[in-house]
Amino acid sequence: ILLTMLVRSAVILAAVLAVVSHEATAFTAPTSAVGRSSSTALFIADVDAPGAKKSTAPIEKIWTVSKLDTDDAIMDVAAYRNNRVGPAGVIEKQQAKRDAQDNTGAAVRGGLTGLALGVGYGVVTYTGSVGYGGGDLQEALKNTGVLGGIMGSLLAWNSLSGRNVYVSTMEDAANRLKVDFVEGLMARQDVGFAARIDNSDTAYGGRFRQTNGIVAAIDCQLRNCEESKNVKTFGELPPHIHIRNLAVDQKCRRMGIARELVEAVVDYADKETPAELVTLVVDDTNTAAINLYKSLGFDIESIGNPSTAMPKYGQWTNGRSIMSKKL
């Protein structure tokens, strides 16, 4: 019985620590204009929030747009999409959270949590929910004491040592960013372009220090042809490049960066791929983005009706449209 309880204690402890560790990580949410990678979503960040006034100051071109050809450049984009926090910054935040924690107080809370788990286990033992038949108060009290003591001690020690706040290794932090933000780019299933500024240590107060100057990025994917690394077929479309995940940092909007990134994708599609079209998906309410794309020669068609959108495009979403440009 004691061995069984120890095994169950280990399982419960692993679950508790997994939850605690997940909540304690210092990975940040994506910027509001980015979001996770999606095969259908396109996010435009080259316009300010509704109601914002457009700046009348002259715009000096302080950025360059280039294709993401190296793993290091792709990881810079991952840092940008992680709210401008790279692997080293992730670890620094996690360590700061661990250092700031009141370990004694956390240990007390851990001990009480373990005792509460023990009480819960005793209750289910008494009611017969775990296979003991139920009704044996002495057995229930013994289970409460043993499990509560084991769990309370383990959780208290884990908290007292600061291990309840997870701190990544550099390899783990980099891998987490890769998986969350740039997995398609790293696998070379997608192709990306980024806008980068010089003097990242000082420009904008060092805002882009951890991104090595990246202030905007865009992904695209070749589809519906033998050369594509995505084997899925998208409707009846000919070979095409599909734009995804366009975002410009809020401090660098209204400068024409989004336009230049889209132009870079169109140029790449035309000169380096067998694509006949460039496509993207846009929210019907995003008039600023629609106007931008129209000014670049894109046509628009709703994909809100599944009976017409699915055969042609292989997808449909209410309130969205496909925009396309022939090459």
Side-chain angles (χ1 to χ4, degrees):
I1 294 175
L2 180 58
L3 178 61
T4 301
M5 292 180 64
L6 287 173
V7 172
R8 288 172 175 163
S9 299
V11 172
I12 295 172
L13 177 62
V16 171
L17 292 179
V19 172
V20 171
S21 296
H22 176 74
E23 292 178 350
T25 57
F27 290 88
T28 58
T31 58
S32 60
V34 181
R36 291 292 188 90
S37 295
S38 165
S39 61
T40 60
L42 176 76
F43 301 89
I44 278 294
D46 200 39
V47 290
D48 289 329
K53 294 183 178 180
K54 185 174 181 178
S55 172
T56 57
I59 296 174
E60 177 185 359
K61 190 174 187 301
I62 58 173
W63 69 91
T64 56
V65 169
S66 60
K67 188 178 177 183
L68 300 172
D69 289 325
T70 67
D71 288 355
D72 287 344
I74 292 172
M75 286 306 299
D76 288 341
V77 170
Y80 166 71
R81 290 175 174 168
N82 190 42
N83 217 12
R84 306 177 309 282
V85 179
V90 166
I91 295 172
E92 183 180 348
K93 284 190 172 185
Q94 292 172 339
Q95 187 63 56
K97 186 170 183 178
R98 175 182 285 186
D99 293 342
Q101 177 182 246
D102 176 7
N103 288 345
T104 301
V108 172
R109 291 190 296 272
L112 292 175
T113 299
L115 292 175
L117 290 171
V119 170
Y121 188 66
V123 170
V124 296
T125 299
Y126 185 73
T127 59
S129 302
V130 292
Y132 287 105
D136 189 336
L137 180 59
Q138 184 176 0
E139 183 71 24
L141 290 174
K142 182 177 72 173
N143 289 339
T144 296
V146 174
L147 181 63
I150 294 173
M151 292 295 294
S153 298
L154 291 175
L155 288 173
W157 173 82
N158 190 64
S159 298
L160 189 62
S161 63
R163 295 178 181 272
N164 63 321
V165 178
Y166 176 68
V167 177
S168 305
T169 63
M170 183 63 73
E171 182 180 358
D172 287 344
N175 187 64
R176 173 72 181 273
L177 290 182
K178 180 180 76 172
V179 170
D180 283 356
F181 300 107
V182 292
E183 192 166 29
L185 289 171
M186 278 294 190
R188 301 311 194 261
Q189 179 173 312
D190 299 344
V191 173
F193 294 83
R196 193 187 297 267
I197 62 173
D198 294 328
N199 303 319
S200 59
D201 285 340
T202 56
Y204 295 94
R207 180 179 178 86
F208 304 105
R209 183 179 296 111
Q210 294 189 45
T211 72
N212 286 318
I214 285 184
V215 300
I218 190 173
D219 299 350
C220 65
Q221 185 180 93
L222 180 63
R223 295 177 173 179
N224 285 14
C225 64
E226 292 182 357
E227 294 86 346
S228 173
K229 294 186 179 180
N230 187 342
V231 297
K232 181 180 178 180
T233 299
F234 293 84
E236 302 168 349
L237 289 171
H240 63 282
I241 286 286
H242 187 73
I243 293 176
R244 313 192 300 173
N245 302 328
L246 169 59
V248 179
D249 187 83
Q250 61 182 356
K251 297 293 186 181
C252 300
R253 297 173 189 170
R254 297 187 175 278
M255 295 181 179
I257 295 178
R259 175 180 293 274
E260 190 169 340
L261 285 171
V262 175
E263 289 174 338
V265 170
V266 171
D267 187 64
Y268 160 75
D270 187 36
K271 296 179 179 179
E272 300 184 44
T273 77
E276 299 175 23
L277 292 172
V278 177
T279 65
L280 57 94
V281 175
V282 66
D283 289 338
D284 292 340
T285 57
N286 196 342
T287 55
I290 292 171
N291 290 336
L292 168 65
Y293 293 125
K294 283 184 175 180
S295 73
L296 290 168
F298 284 77
D299 298 319
I300 187 168
E301 182 177 347
S302 173
I303 54 171
N305 186 338
S307 63
T308 56
M310 284 301 297
K312 186 173 182 179
Y313 297 113
Q315 60 179 297
W316 78 279
T317 306
N318 190 36
R320 285 186 169 180
S321 294
I322 284 273
M323 299 194 72
S324 60
K325 177 183 175 70
K326 292 183 179 181
L327 300 174

